[in-house]
Amino acid sequence: MDTVLFLALGLLAQSLGLSLGLRRPSTLFPWRRAPTLGRVRRAWVIPPISVSENHKRLPYPLVQIKSDKQQLGSVIYSIQGPGVDEEPRDVFSIDKFTGKVFLNAVLDREKTDRFRLRAFALDLGGSTLEEPTDLEIVVVDQNDNRPVFQQEVFTGRVLEGAIPGTYVTTAEATDADDPETDNAALRYSILEQGSPQLFSIDEHTGEIRTVQVGLDREVVAMYNLTLQVADMSGDGLTATASAIITVEDINDNAPVFTRDEFFMEATEAVSGVDVGRLEVEDGDLPGSPNWAARFTILEGDPDGQFAIRTDPKTNEGVLSVVKPLDYENCDQYDLRVVVQNEAPLQAVASKAERGQARVRVQVQDVNEAPVFQENPLRTSLAEGAAPGTPVAAFSAQDPDTQQLQRLSYSKDYDPEDWLQVDGATGWVQTQHVLSPASPFLKDGWYRAIILAYDDASPPCTATGTLSIEILEVNDHAPELSPPSGSLCSKPDQGSGLLLSAVDEDLPPHGAPFHFQLSPRFPELARNWSLSQINMSHARLRLRHQVQEGLHRLSLLLQDSGQPPQQREQPLNVTVCRCSQDGTCLPGAAALRTGGVGISMGALVIVLASVILLLLLALPVALLARFQQQSWDKGLLQGLQDDLRDNILNYDEQGGGEEDQDAYDISQLRHPTEVAALSTPLGRPPLRRDAPFGRARPPPPRVLPASPADIADFINDGLEAADSDLSVPPYDTALIYDYEGDGSVAGTLSSILSSLGDEDQDYSCLQDWGPRFAQLADLYGTPRGPE
């Protein structure tokens, strides 16, 4: 089976601008197979078909396919692949009866540089006549794209003074055309850079480098270059861009002072203040380490009283005083100052002409505050120091030696007002005894603040702290605790009596304590033993069985102070019968009461005395009861003789008018009149404010004869009223007393102004209305018949 493929080579040659010298298309047999001895295979492979991009005459015939198996018109041709039935669609088409392949759209090599199609030959019934064959179409490039820089502006940096050939930056461009052709062959160049020509560019790589010396940031800090790139090896399409090259600063300029000498003034006795400024100039980049100045004092400040810092904005040196100056010690300073940059100076820099300067500082004299020689002053004093005890000489000195000034002293803080300060000398002494329990004693230290001030105008004051350590003194002997206890009568029972001691003194004047039986009573050692347990406790034991009951021992206690204090103290020990566990039996409770100082014999005597008193008081109570009943029976018979007026207490909010309890009217009498009434006539007057069934009121008290005894009289009266059980609880004894002569108001009441009821004039009661008629009949003169 043979197949003939006719190629329109003439049309293809015309599209490529080539003269192939052919009048008709050559005939190729892509499907024809040559006869062989063994197997059958294709004769040749169809070469790629080339077509130029951007071809405008459309449709454009590319090739014609034929099959010799059928006559013309009985074969159906078709193609498939990208550009036909795949994206991009409808770029190629084929005449299904003639087999001609056409180009239907403008090609762009930058989008698709080749197409691979499959060609088919079928009969009219749709059966395959030939095996599918490949058809490759190659798009030929044209120079239809300009080169493009990757950036519109390229930036680079180079140090000033750089040597020729120093790399600066690289300009890069691209071209969308076929890189295998001259359409993408790029060449770089510099169109403009100013004068002089300091930079060059590699035409193949685009690298920009320096070509000569002369870069100086202080002259030109930035260069702007215009770059160009062209394809076709520099003869084709072009594009431009910019390159900005910044010249970086180096420290090639040393800082210099604007003057050779500076004059300033400073005040003594102050620190942390600025004195003046040192001006410098530097041609390097402001704000950079090559420009920032650093100042150093070379001479004239041996004690480090001055410092120079740099103002970051102005680059000036600020001279300040860091230690107080003393005019009396030095009134003028001559400083030599040098200036340098923070960054080291480059070797190409010229030597500075004014890198050093002299600074003269004049010190001004002012009134200075006194100075305590030792502040704070620490001293010590014994506990309980007597008033007038010297403490310390807390004196100060005036630094103004060239001024005649007098110093004075006073207290600023002395919470216990314990100290006294001499205003002229600063001598401190105590003025009373300081209490050891003072809240202002902190860990044994007492703090006071003393002031020293001169007599200048205005005066200057110094503050000094006086810290006094109160030394502990062994002034207290230890005390026994507890002062009593109990022991078993048998030495082998119980654990003994545990004793302890306390001491008000602080260490080292307290424990360890020493316990021993009093040496004044050597017989105690025969029955008792005392053993030390630790620094503050001892144990008392019996040596052998002793009589049960209270035993009084004497112990000697001594502390460890210097000198030691000792005290002989009594110890009451109750010896009792004990159980097996060493505790006193219940039957021995009476014996244990002896621990508080009451023996069995004393207890019996007390009980017997109480019983005897009760027996004596019983007959007396019965007799008093019998007499009371007889006295109550004669009460009504003697009522007319004992009637007297009552004072009604209407200022109380209690019983109101029903409260008819009265007061002892004798309290209202004049002291001189009461003396005559001190001896009652007949039986004592009856108290109307006491219930009839109660005991008779006490006899009247003797009133004071002089105003000086009035206070005692009132207090005795109040005590008697409080102890009077016959008065209702809401009653109050109001005592009215003599207030002197000469009162224009007269006496408070005229009821008891005379010595007897017969001298009273009650006739006025008849004029007070019907309610007082009965009183008028009882006290007044009977009215005659009308």
Side-chain angles (χ1 to χ4, degrees):
M1 182 178 61
D2 297 327
T3 301
V4 180
L5 175 63
F6 295 97
L7 299 176
L9 298 179
L11 296 176
L12 179 60
Q14 182 179 0
S15 65
L16 297 176
L18 302 176
S19 177
L20 301 179
L22 298 177
R23 294 176 177 259
R24 64 175 68 182
S26 300
T27 302
L28 300 178
F29 303 95
W31 285 304
R32 177 176 297 177
R33 304 184 185 278
T36 60
L37 298 177
R39 59 180 180 176
V40 179
R41 68 176 185 176
R42 293 182 181 181
W44 56 70
V45 179
I46 302 175
I49 302 172
S50 299
V51 59
S52 176
E53 66 174 336
N54 302 320
H55 191 80
K56 304 298 183 183
R57 292 182 300 172
L58 301 176
Y60 179 73
L62 296 179
V63 70
Q64 182 178 11
I65 302 174
K66 281 189 177 183
S67 175
D68 56 357
K69 286 194 174 183
Q70 296 288 343
Q71 295 181 358
L72 183 63
S74 60
V75 180
I76 303 300
Y77 300 96
S78 65
I79 56 176
Q80 295 179 359
V84 181
D85 55 353
E86 298 178 16
E87 295 294 335
R89 296 177 180 274
D90 302 328
V91 177
F92 304 98
S93 64
I94 187 172
D95 188 321
K96 63 180 181 178
F97 297 111
T98 63
K100 292 181 179 181
V101 180
F102 296 91
L103 174 65
N104 300 321
V106 178
L107 300 179
D108 187 355
R109 193 206 64 83
E110 286 70 38
K111 293 183 178 179
T112 307
D113 59 349
R114 65 185 60 237
F115 296 88
R116 291 182 173 85
L117 306 179
R118 298 276 286 177
F120 301 89
L122 305 175
D123 59 12
L124 295 178
S127 300
T128 302
L129 297 177
E130 306 285 352
E131 291 294 330
T133 185
D134 294 333
L135 181 62
E136 184 176 7
I137 301 175
V138 178
V139 182
V140 179
D141 182 50
Q142 288 186 340
N143 190 18
D144 57 347
N145 292 281
R146 289 181 178 273
V148 178
F149 278 104
Q150 293 186 353
Q151 299 172 217
E152 293 183 1
V153 179
F154 296 90
T155 59
R157 294 180 176 275
V158 61
L159 292 176
E160 61 176 333
I163 62 175
T166 302
Y167 172 80
V168 179
T169 186
T170 300
E172 297 181 3
T174 59
D175 195 315
D177 291 326
D178 189 358
E180 302 298 330
T181 64
D182 284 345
N183 297 335
L186 305 181
R187 299 293 183 266
Y188 299 91
S189 62
I190 298 177
L191 296 181
E192 183 180 357
Q193 64 173 314
S195 181
Q197 305 294 321
L198 298 178
F199 302 96
S200 65
I201 187 170
D202 189 297
E203 65 174 355
H204 296 284
T205 63
E207 290 185 354
I208 301 176
R209 297 177 179 271
T210 60
V211 294
Q212 59 179 345
V213 297
L215 291 174
D216 190 351
R217 192 206 63 83
E218 289 73 35
V219 177
V220 179
M222 183 181 297
Y223 291 88
N224 193 346
L225 281 61
T226 302
L227 308 179
Q228 176 181 281
V229 62
D231 57 15
M232 300 297 291
S233 299
D235 297 330
L237 303 177
T238 62
T240 58
S242 297
I244 298 178
I245 300 175
T246 302
V247 180
E248 293 185 339
D249 184 54
I250 64 172
N251 192 13
D252 56 348
N253 295 279
V256 295
F257 287 100
T258 57
R259 290 181 291 172
D260 294 332
E261 194 169 6
F262 296 86
F263 296 92
M264 302 178 185
E265 293 182 350
T267 304
E268 70 166 336
V270 294
S271 62
V273 297
D274 297 337
V275 177
R277 289 177 172 260
L278 308 177
E279 299 178 357
V280 295
E281 294 178 347
D282 195 311
D284 292 318
L285 180 64
S288 67
N290 302 324
W291 173 81
R294 184 177 60 189
F295 300 86
T296 305
I297 300 176
L298 298 180
E299 297 177 358
D301 185 24
D303 297 328
Q305 295 175 297
F306 298 92
I308 304 178
R309 70 179 187 277
T310 303
D311 188 331
K313 295 182 179 180
T314 63
N315 210 28
E316 295 175 333
V318 182
L319 180 65
S320 60
V321 179
V322 295
K323 294 182 181 180
L325 305 178
D326 189 358
Y327 174 83
E328 288 72 22
N329 186 28
C330 180
D331 60 353
Q332 183 175 329
Y333 292 85
D334 190 2
L335 310 178
R336 187 163 68 92
V337 182
V338 64
V339 61
Q340 294 174 328
N341 290 125
E342 292 183 359
L345 191 65
Q346 299 294 325
V348 296
S350 59
K351 186 176 181 180
E353 298 178 358
R354 287 199 302 268
Q356 296 185 8
R358 300 181 68 87
V359 181
R360 299 183 184 274
V361 181
Q362 182 67 38
V363 182
Q364 295 180 343
D365 187 22
V366 296
N367 182 32
E368 300 177 71
V371 178
F372 285 97
Q373 298 178 356
E374 184 179 357
N375 192 12
L377 177 62
R378 292 180 173 85
T379 185
S380 59
L381 202 63
E383 177 187 14
T389 302
V391 178
F394 203 13
S395 59
Q397 291 183 348
D398 193 346
D400 296 317
T401 57
Q402 299 183 10
Q403 302 178 17
L404 297 178
Q405 297 180 154
R406 182 174 58 87
L407 299 183
S408 301
Y409 302 89
S410 64
K411 292 189 303 181
D412 182 63
Y413 177 76
D414 182 14
E416 286 284 356
D417 196 23
W418 177 44
L419 305 175
Q420 181 180 2
V421 181
D422 190 299
T425 62
W427 182 260
V428 182
Q429 63 181 10
T430 62
Q431 56 184 357
H432 62 80
V433 178
L434 179 64
S435 172
S438 171
F440 300 100
L441 275 176
K442 305 297 183 182
D443 298 330
W445 287 85
Y446 183 85
R447 187 175 69 92
I449 297 179
I450 310 299
L451 300 179
Y453 47 92
D454 56 27
D455 57 354
S457 181
C460 289
T461 305
T463 302
T465 301
L466 177 61
S467 298
I468 306 172
E469 183 183 12
I470 307 302
L471 300 178
E472 181 72 19
V473 176
N474 190 19
D475 54 352
H476 295 87
E479 295 183 2
L480 186 65
S481 177
S484 61
S486 59
L487 276 176
C488 295
S489 58
K490 296 182 179 180
D492 57 346
Q493 290 183 334
S495 58
L497 178 59
L498 183 64
L499 303 177
S500 64
V502 293
D503 198 324
E504 296 184 12
D505 294 320
L506 298 177
H509 301 296
F513 303 113
H514 178 66
F515 299 81
Q516 69 177 65
L517 299 172
S518 175
R520 297 192 304 110
F521 304 98
E523 64 274 9
L524 295 176
R526 293 196 299 267
N527 298 330
W528 309 88
S529 65
L530 192 62
S531 58
Q532 193 90 16
I533 298 178
N534 51 32
M535 294 190 300
S536 58
H537 291 77
R539 191 180 304 278
L540 179 67
R541 290 181 177 273
L542 283 171
R543 294 185 180 274
H544 52 79
Q545 187 171 357
V546 298
Q547 182 180 0
E548 298 179 4
L550 178 66
H551 296 263
R552 291 179 174 84
L553 283 65
S554 180
L555 271 63
L556 183 64
L557 274 69
Q558 179 177 308
D559 59 22
S560 299
Q562 293 296 330
Q565 292 281 350
Q566 63 182 12
R567 175 183 297 177
E568 188 170 319
Q569 301 182 47
L571 175 63
N572 295 330
V573 181
T574 300
V575 179
C576 60
R577 295 189 303 275
C578 294
S579 61
Q580 293 298 329
D581 57 356
T583 58
C584 288
L585 295 174
L591 295 177
R592 289 200 301 271
T593 59
V596 294
I598 302 178
S599 63
M600 180 62 72
L603 183 61
V604 172
I605 294 174
V606 171
L607 295 176
S609 300
V610 172
I611 295 173
L612 180 61
L613 289 175
L614 293 176
L615 294 176
L616 293 177
L618 182 60
V620 174
L622 295 176
L623 179 61
R625 180 64 178 172
F626 177 77
Q627 292 178 354
Q628 177 68 27
Q629 294 177 356
S630 300
W631 178 72
D632 292 341
K633 293 179 180 179
L635 180 62
L636 295 178
Q637 290 80 0
L639 182 60
Q640 294 293 333
D641 298 334
D642 296 328
L643 286 176
R644 61 177 179 174
D645 291 344
N646 293 336
I647 297 178
L648 301 180
N649 186 8
Y650 286 98
D651 62 347
E652 295 181 356
Q653 302 297 325
E657 294 182 356
E658 296 180 0
D659 185 7
Q660 302 298 323
D661 298 324
Y663 301 90
D664 187 3
I665 303 179
S666 65
Q667 306 293 336
L668 302 178
R669 295 183 182 275
H670 192 282
T672 58
E673 296 178 356
V674 177
L677 300 176
S678 59
T679 303
L681 299 177
R683 62 180 181 178
L686 180 64
R687 282 193 62 178
R688 300 296 184 183
D689 56 351
F692 293 149
R694 301 294 176 88
R696 192 166 298 169
R701 298 183 292 115
V702 178
L703 298 180
S706 64
D709 300 329
I710 291 177
D712 295 334
F713 175 77
I714 294 175
N715 292 332
D716 295 339
L718 291 175
E719 183 177 359
D722 293 339
S723 59
D724 188 2
L725 301 178
S726 64
V727 180
Y730 49 79
D731 191 15
T732 303
L734 301 178
I735 299 177
Y736 300 87
D737 210 344
Y738 178 67
E739 295 181 357
D741 297 331
S743 175
V744 297
T747 60
L748 179 64
S749 176
S750 61
I751 298 176
L752 296 180
S753 59
S754 62
L755 299 179
D757 293 341
E758 63 276 347
D759 297 331
Q760 301 293 332
D761 184 11
Y762 299 104
S763 60
C764 61
L765 296 176
Q766 299 177 2
D767 301 331
W768 287 6
R771 295 186 178 183
F772 294 88
Q774 186 178 359
L775 290 176
D777 295 340
L778 293 175
Y779 289 90
T781 303
R783 300 176 61 180
E786 296 182 356

